[in-house]
Amino acid sequence: YYCPGDWLPHACGDASVYCPGGAAQVRPTNVSDGFYSVNGPATHRVAQMGCPQGFYCVKGVRYQCGKTVDGDDRSPSPNAYYCEARATEPVRVSAGHFSIDYGNISAPEYTRTGEFECTPGTYCSDEGYQENCPVGRYGDAFGLTNASCSGECSGGYFCPAGSTSPRAAAPRAWHRRRRSRHAARMAEAICSVA
């Protein structure tokens, strides 16, 4: 409550203001940027708190970082945004980065708190996720941004998902020789039993 001079208590207002002084307060106090009002119903708040990581605060209301003020998921993905402490708006994850950590364990994809650069062998989509480079491709640099990664494997080599070199596995010819020797041994064993 606040008392503007008529000595009658008036409701403090909406969530964008708070009234810590009671009868001695002549007008509501505006909630600071990056803070939200607390302690009481929205029309009778008596304090403010700094917005925690994973959330942003606008006009005294706290919102999950991956949501709009209307409660809709942010586009292209809630995971593509993060909020540091006392944020007034979400930050979009940088190209070649993915969002990390969370401010609320029950809504981790909506309350991301930072970003980290994609490591070799991976790429980061614009949705804020880190993915392995696909089979047949490799990633030899930090911060790759699409599934093409750094390129295709060298001829005659196999690259499993997450490869960091164009020559990630032994040449295919070696595998063929090894398989044919194994097959020959198996045939000898079968024939010698019969």
Side-chain angles (χ1 to χ4, degrees), residues 114-146:
E115 69 177 359
F116 195 78
E117 188 172 31
C118 278
T119 56
T122 67
Y123 69 96
C124 290
S125 67
D126 65 347
E127 294 185 352
Y129 294 100
Q130 178 175 249
E131 309 272 348
N132 280 332
C133 290
V135 172
R137 303 196 80 78
Y138 72 98
D140 64 357
F142 284 90
L144 298 174
T145 58
N146 61 59

Side-chain angles (χ1 to χ4, degrees), residues 99-116:
S99 61
I100 58 171
D101 300 329
Y102 50 86
N104 183 340
I105 195 165
S106 64
E109 69 279 9
Y110 292 101
T111 58
R112 308 305 282 178
T113 62
E115 69 177 359
F116 195 78

Side-chain angles (χ1 to χ4, degrees), residues 29-183:
T29 303
N30 289 325
V31 174
S32 303
D33 289 343
F35 285 73
Y36 64 106
S37 57
V38 294
N39 297 343
T43 58
H44 298 90
R45 302 288 172 100
V46 296
Q48 68 175 358
M49 288 187 69
C51 215
Q53 289 183 322
F55 297 84
Y56 66 105
C57 295
V58 177
K59 296 183 180 179
V61 180
R62 184 178 74 171
Y63 300 96
Q64 292 178 340
C65 201
K67 297 272 190 182
T68 66
V69 294
D70 298 324
D72 299 323
D73 284 2
R74 290 194 169 275
S75 178
S77 160
N79 213 53
Y81 298 87
Y82 67 93
C83 295
E84 295 176 341
R86 296 189 179 171
T88 57
E89 63 183 62
V91 176
R92 178 71 192 258
V93 173
S94 305
H97 290 70
F98 62 100
S99 61
I100 58 171
D101 300 329
Y102 50 86
N104 183 340
I105 195 165
S106 64
E109 69 279 9
Y110 292 101
T111 58
R112 308 305 282 178
T113 62
E115 69 177 359
F116 195 78
E117 188 172 31
C118 278
T119 56
T122 67
Y123 69 96
C124 290
S125 67
D126 65 347
E127 294 185 352
Y129 294 100
Q130 178 175 249
E131 309 272 348
N132 280 332
C133 290
V135 172
R137 303 196 80 78
Y138 72 98
D140 64 357
F142 284 90
L144 298 174
T145 58
N146 61 59
S148 296
C149 293
S150 297
E152 294 181 354
C153 296
S154 296
Y157 286 82
F158 173 73
C159 292
S163 293
T164 59
S165 167
R167 296 180 176 166
R172 289 186 179 134
W174 181 83
H175 288 292
R176 281 195 298 270
R177 280 196 307 270
R178 186 171 174 211
R179 270 185 279 165
S180 62
R181 280 195 303 240
H182 179 70

